[in-house]
Amino acid sequence: MLGDDLALNAEQVSGVRANRELPVVWAVAKGSALNKLILVPAALLLSALTPWVIMPLLMLGGAYLCYEGFEKVLHKIFTPDDVSEHAKKLDILSLPKAEILKFEKTKIKGAIRTDFILSAEIIVIALGSAKDAPFNQQVWVVTLIAIAVTVGVYGLVAAIVKLDDVGFYFLKAKVDSTFVGVKHALGRGILLFCPLLMKTLAIVGTAAMFLVGGGILVHGIPHSHELIVAVSQQAATLEAVGSIAAALTPTLLNALGGMLAGGLVFVVVAAIQKIVGTRTTADE
């Protein structure tokens, strides 16, 4: 989830001037902190008054993660890379200052809305992991995780979005400066690494959605734990690869459950959208 959070928030500042990247990240980070100031007390209040609601919320969050992961995979498969996207970003950068500031505000609002959903999922999962602990321990667990996630994610986002600037800095090293060849090579390496890092984060984040979401859903089904243990024990009997197969089986089952759940939720959501769209067209 954090991998996807990193990639998503780093993408949110794309198309922003280099000297405005950190102010935009800071604005989103403040919005994220405000989101958690709302979500953490709300989650703890629910845990104190209606603890039975935590598991359904956890399952709902898991289903949403699986759906989001499935949607990302479909988008990647069926939507070709848009070569005009880069040109569109360049056009934005050539706009007057007032228009650029308006574009930044739109970016920030969108990022904060997305963060609200991701923060809600993280807090519910954190609360679910401590649901059997005393209430004061739940308060510490959820609060510390909320703080650590906010500082960690947006600190890393700030580092990621400025990484290309570091690469350009090394490339601009003067010929007569010390270790100029090493600096130029390091600059080129960083610039080549940046897009690879973003792609890796996106892949890891999508895989994590299926693993985390699927794990939540699978373990929320009665007697599923016994079934996973039984399948793992069966996998352990395989010759040569038994120990490896047994160790990987729970993870693979969680991922498989996540993909199946994501596909099912996607079909349901698509059907609802089609029905709503048909009714709207008929009313018009």
Side-chain angles (χ1 to χ4, degrees):
M1 285 179 66
L2 292 178
D4 183 65
D5 204 354
L6 281 172
L8 196 60
N9 281 289
E11 286 173 2
Q12 289 286 2
V13 298
S14 62
V16 176
R17 288 182 182 274
N19 64 339
R20 294 292 302 160
E21 286 174 339
L22 290 182
V24 169
V25 172
W26 174 240
V28 178
K30 288 190 291 184
S32 175
L34 182 59
N35 285 341
K36 291 176 179 68
L37 281 174
I38 297 168
L39 290 166
V40 169
L44 290 170
L45 188 64
L46 284 175
S47 178
L49 299 179
T50 54
W52 57 268
V53 83
I54 299 300
M55 194 59 192
L57 284 176
L58 204 56
M59 296 287 281
L60 189 63
Y64 180 81
L65 280 176
C66 296
Y67 165 76
E68 193 177 359
F70 193 84
E71 192 178 39
K72 282 178 179 287
V73 172
L74 284 185
H75 180 78
K76 188 64 178 177
I77 293 173
F78 295 107
T79 305
D81 292 334
D82 189 359
V83 294
S84 65
E85 190 65 27
H86 180 65
K88 191 185 297 182
K89 291 176 182 177
L90 291 178
D91 289 340
I92 291 170
L93 293 177
S94 64
L95 291 172
K97 186 177 179 180
E99 291 296 321
I100 291 176
L101 290 175
K102 184 178 178 182
F103 170 73
E104 283 183 10
K105 288 181 180 179
T106 303
K107 279 270 188 182
I108 291 167
K109 287 180 181 178
I112 292 173
R113 280 196 300 269
T114 303
D115 175 90
F116 188 89
I117 297 170
L118 291 170
S119 295
E121 292 167 355
I122 290 170
I123 288 168
V124 169
I125 290 172
L127 189 58
S129 69
K131 64 181 176 13
D132 297 324
F135 181 73
N136 63 333
Q137 189 173 336
Q138 291 181 11
V139 172
W140 280 108
V141 167
V142 177
T143 302
L144 289 176
I145 286 178
I147 294 170
V149 165
T150 305
V151 174
V153 165
Y154 289 98
L156 286 171
V157 167
I160 290 170
V161 299
K162 299 308 291 183
L163 196 56
D164 55 349
D165 289 349
V166 175
F168 281 120
Y169 172 79
F170 283 122
L171 277 178
K172 290 177 181 178
K174 294 180 180 179
V175 178
D176 58 349
S177 66
T178 309
F179 303 116
V180 62
V182 174
K183 290 179 179 177
H184 286 179
L186 187 58
R188 285 191 293 269
I190 290 173
L191 292 176
L192 288 172
F193 174 70
C194 285
L196 180 63
L197 174 64
M198 292 298 296
K199 288 180 180 179
T200 302
L201 283 173
I203 293 170
V204 170
T206 302
M209 286 179 175
F210 291 126
L211 289 171
V212 176
I216 292 170
L217 294 174
V218 168
H219 287 85
I221 299 172
H223 308 296
S224 60
H225 180 69
E226 292 86 345
L227 177 62
I228 291 174
V229 170
V231 175
S232 299
Q233 289 174 345
Q234 190 65 32
T237 62
L238 296 172
E239 293 184 8
V241 295
S243 59
I244 297 174
L248 291 177
T249 295
T251 301
L252 293 175
L253 289 176
N254 288 341
L256 179 61
M259 286 185 281
L260 291 174
L264 179 61
V265 175
F266 182 85
V267 170
V268 172
V269 170
I272 292 172
Q273 288 176 339
K274 189 172 182 179
I275 292 170
V276 172
T278 303
R279 286 181 178 177
T280 302
T281 304
D283 292 339
E284 291 175 353

